[in-house]
Amino acid sequence: MKNVPMRTCVICRNVREKRDLLRIVRVPEGGMQVDPTGKMNGRGAYICRSGECLKSVKDMKKLATALSVQANKESLDELMQDIQIKLGTINRQGE
Ligand SMILES: [Zn+2]
């Protein structure tokens, strides 16, 4: 029996296998960063890799709240772009 690690998406609150989620970590400088390997140090939150979540800045704010990060609109826009790039890369690798 394999023990599959499960995590909760902070946006839709669905529990999924860890590999179906993308990890976002809080960095010491106070911002957020995409953690494609899931191995970075720091407080992390998970979002769906399917692309259903994090489509709007409103969702980004939920993520910031989950990580207790004070983020301005510019940094949220930047992170959202970065997430979409990373998700695109991950999806292509899976084919
Ligand atoms: Zn989700």
Side-chain angles (χ1 to χ4, degrees), residues 2 5 16 26 28 43-44 47 49 51-52 57 61 72 74 77 80-81 91:
K2 250 172 79 180
R16 292 169 184 264
R26 185 170 72 175
R43 183 168 170 179
I47 59 157
R49 283 192 181 199
E52 291 162 26
V57 173
K61 282 186 181 148
N72 58 25
E74 284 71 33
D77 282 343
M80 191 156 70
Q81 257 181 9
N91 289 341

Side-chain angles (χ1 to χ4, degrees), residues 65-87:
T65 305
L67 289 172
S68 306
V69 170
Q70 299 284 332
N72 58 25
K73 195 186 173 299
E74 284 71 33
S75 64
L76 290 179
D77 282 343
E78 244 173 66
L79 181 67
M80 191 156 70
Q81 257 181 9
D82 194 29
I83 287 169
Q84 274 155 7
I85 290 164
K86 294 274 185 346
L87 286 175

Side-chain angles (χ1 to χ4, degrees), residues 2-19:
K2 250 172 79 180
N3 195 5
V4 182
M6 305 292 280
R7 294 290 183 274
T8 306
C9 169
V10 293
I11 309 299
C12 65
R13 293 276 159 202
N14 282 328
V15 179
R16 292 169 184 264
E17 290 184 26
K18 202 176 160 187
R19 64 174 181 207

Side-chain angles (χ1 to χ4, degrees), residues 29-44:
E29 298 78 43
M32 293 180 283
Q33 205 180 344
V34 181
D35 174 15
T37 62
K39 291 186 172 76
M40 282 169 69
N41 288 325
R43 183 168 170 179

